[in-house]
Amino acid sequence: DTGVSQDPRHKITKRGQNVTFRCDPISEHNRLYWYRQTLGQGPEFLTYFQNEAQLEKSRLLSDRFSAERPKGSFSTLEIQRTEQGDSAMYLCASSRGRAFFGQGTRLTVV
Amino acid sequence: GQSLEQPSEVTAVEGAIVQINCTYQTSGFYGLSWYQQHDGGAPTFLSYNALDGLEETGRFSSFLSRSDSYGYLLLQELQMKDSASYFCAVRDRDDKIIFGKGTRLHILP
């Protein structure tokens, strides 16, 4: 499978814990995007990369969120001190033209 | 900033035609995309318009009017499997992709 892959697919964590998600984009894609989606809503932009450079981080994103793409290939999204409001689907997409999405990581904070 | 408006729900009958509209405001516009998302699944790409006019891909067509900041997705010969959420998304001049809140399409037999 050469599509976008995300790991883990599901994560349940206790409030206050840190979590990290991984996204492996399609290999020749230089753009990588992170989105958050809650039930009944559209994907909400979080941040995006051009190769290893982070181009923009949403102003709605608190300092507890950080993302990296160290070698311009895979990317990680970390959430520190999770809160119940962080429960959502976290989607990664990569692009070299049209954007392709991974299956997402569903986070539940209890 | 950017904003996109699309109807929250649309209902149509199997075999019919339905149009989902999208209006947008953006600080710099590069193109308009449409995505389909089934419950529990990831968004999948349907179409992209960078220039004014109609793009046709099988039963799906997408239209763009840059001067009106308006586009639509047209679905023909509706099938039950088309029941899903449909999102318009703007690609801005910095290649950032911003999504609308989505239109839930209900199809009646």
Side-chain angles (χ1 to χ4, degrees), chain A residues 15-108:
Chain A
R15 190 172 45 191
Q17 297 294 305
N18 299 343
V19 294
T20 300
F21 310 141
R22 177 178 170 125
C23 171
D24 286 273
I26 295 171
S27 59
E28 64 268 24
H29 286 186
N30 51 4
R31 299 274 189 192
L32 186 147
Y33 303 81
W34 284 101
Y35 294 88
R36 176 173 61 192
Q37 187 176 29
T38 54
L39 196 62
Q41 298 296 312
E44 176 193 10
F45 171 81
L46 297 180
T47 188
Y48 75 133
F49 293 84
Q50 165 75 17
N51 298 316
E52 67 274 11
Q54 188 173 20
L55 299 182
E56 185 175 330
K57 182 178 173 182
S58 170
R59 278 169 281 176
L60 300 175
L61 215 56
S62 79
D63 291 342
R64 297 184 297 105
F65 288 71
S66 62
E68 293 183 339
R69 193 181 183 196
K71 296 183 180 178
S73 57
F74 73 93
S75 176
T76 58
L77 177 69
E78 181 183 17
I79 309 174
Q80 298 181 324
R81 305 181 302 281
T82 52
E83 302 173 355
Q84 286 189 319
D86 297 331
S87 295
M89 175 74 84
Y90 290 84
L91 293 164
C92 172
S94 71
S95 170
R96 193 174 180 178
R98 71 173 70 170
F100 291 87
F101 280 84
Q103 290 299 309
T105 295
R106 182 168 296 284
L107 173 67
T108 303

Side-chain angles (χ1 to χ4, degrees), chain B residues 60-101:
Chain B
F60 294 0
S61 304
S62 58
F63 172 82
L64 175 65
S65 169
R66 295 171 65 116
S67 60
D68 294 323
S69 298
Y70 164 76
Y72 66 72
L73 179 69
L74 192 73
L75 296 84
Q76 302 182 68
E77 301 171 18
L78 285 172
Q79 301 175 10
M80 297 304 292
K81 67 178 182 180
D82 298 330
S83 295
S85 292
Y86 292 84
F87 299 94
C88 58
V90 164
R91 181 186 290 269
D92 72 9
R93 59 171 177 250
D94 297 319
D95 221 18
K96 189 169 68 180
I97 304 173
I98 302 297
F99 284 77
K101 294 188 176 181

Side-chain angles (χ1 to χ4, degrees), chain B residues 37-52:
Chain B
Q37 186 177 32
H38 287 98
D39 287 347
T44 56
F45 174 86
L46 291 178
S47 69
Y48 177 71
N49 296 69
L51 302 175
D52 286 357

